[in-house]
Amino acid sequence: DLPIPFSHRFHVTTKKISCLMCHRTAANTDRAGVPPLETCMLCHKRIIVTYPWIQQLREHYDKNEPIPWVHVNNRVPGFVYFSHERHLRSGVDCGLCHGDVAGMDRVYMKDQFTMGFCVQCHRDNNISHDCLTCHR
């Protein structure tokens, strides 16, 4: 269960907010990361401020306490090189791995990120599946 319910569906589909608005580090680093509270507060300093979950968000912000978000997707082992940036620059849609997040009120893991999952995607898209592509 999430500490604060967050609807990706509402934010992406209704409000038309890009994945990269909140997951900014995906564009230029290996990890997508969890957005800092400052990102939430860009809007929620002024929008639906009396909603109980937003009040809880603001309390964390005012106390300079991070939200204890629950990690949804499994992490690849440390010996595997994976770059969100490289995949985004190649035009890979986030949904290919993460599923239809725009349709999810609560994000869930679409697939386990296993070697087989990645190798099959590389094969399906005619991308190198040489071991040194990902193992360094």
Side-chain angles (χ1 to χ4, degrees):
D1 231 9
L2 297 175
I4 294 177
F6 178 84
S7 173
H8 277 82
R9 180 196 52 76
F10 177 78
H11 287 83
V12 175
T13 304
T14 304
K15 292 300 179 182
K16 307 281 188 232
I17 298 173
S18 162
C19 302
L20 294 174
M21 170 65 186
C22 300
H23 299 282
R24 289 179 183 175
T25 58
N28 55 17
T29 68
D30 298 342
R31 305 267 176 220
V34 175
L37 276 170
E38 290 79 10
T39 301
C40 307
M41 297 308 289
L42 288 171
C43 298
H44 289 298
K45 279 186 178 178
R46 292 174 286 288
I47 297 172
I48 63 170
V49 295
T50 59
Y51 185 64
W53 293 113
I54 300 303
Q55 288 178 333
Q56 187 175 341
L57 184 85
R58 292 173 63 86
E59 287 172 19
H60 279 269
Y61 179 76
D62 291 342
K63 293 177 185 174
N64 200 25
E65 293 176 350
I67 304 291
W69 294 117
V70 176
H71 192 84
V72 175
N73 290 292
N74 65 308
R75 296 170 196 217
V76 295
F79 58 84
V80 175
Y81 173 74
F82 175 84
S83 171
H84 277 93
E85 174 189 22
R86 187 173 184 180
H87 285 80
L88 288 172
R89 270 199 270 132
S90 298
V92 176
D93 182 84
C94 303
L96 188 64
C97 299
H98 295 288
D100 180 22
V101 174
M104 297 180 193
D105 276 313
R106 303 297 172 258
V107 173
Y108 58 87
M109 185 169 33
K110 173 186 171 263
D111 289 298
Q112 289 281 328
F113 299 142
T114 63
M115 186 169 117
F117 174 82
C118 297
V119 169
Q120 190 59 54
C121 184
H122 277 225
R123 283 185 179 138
D124 292 347
N125 292 286
N126 201 26
I127 300 165
S128 174
H129 50 274
D130 179 278
C131 298
L132 293 179
T133 300
C134 303
H135 295 274
R136 302 201 173 158

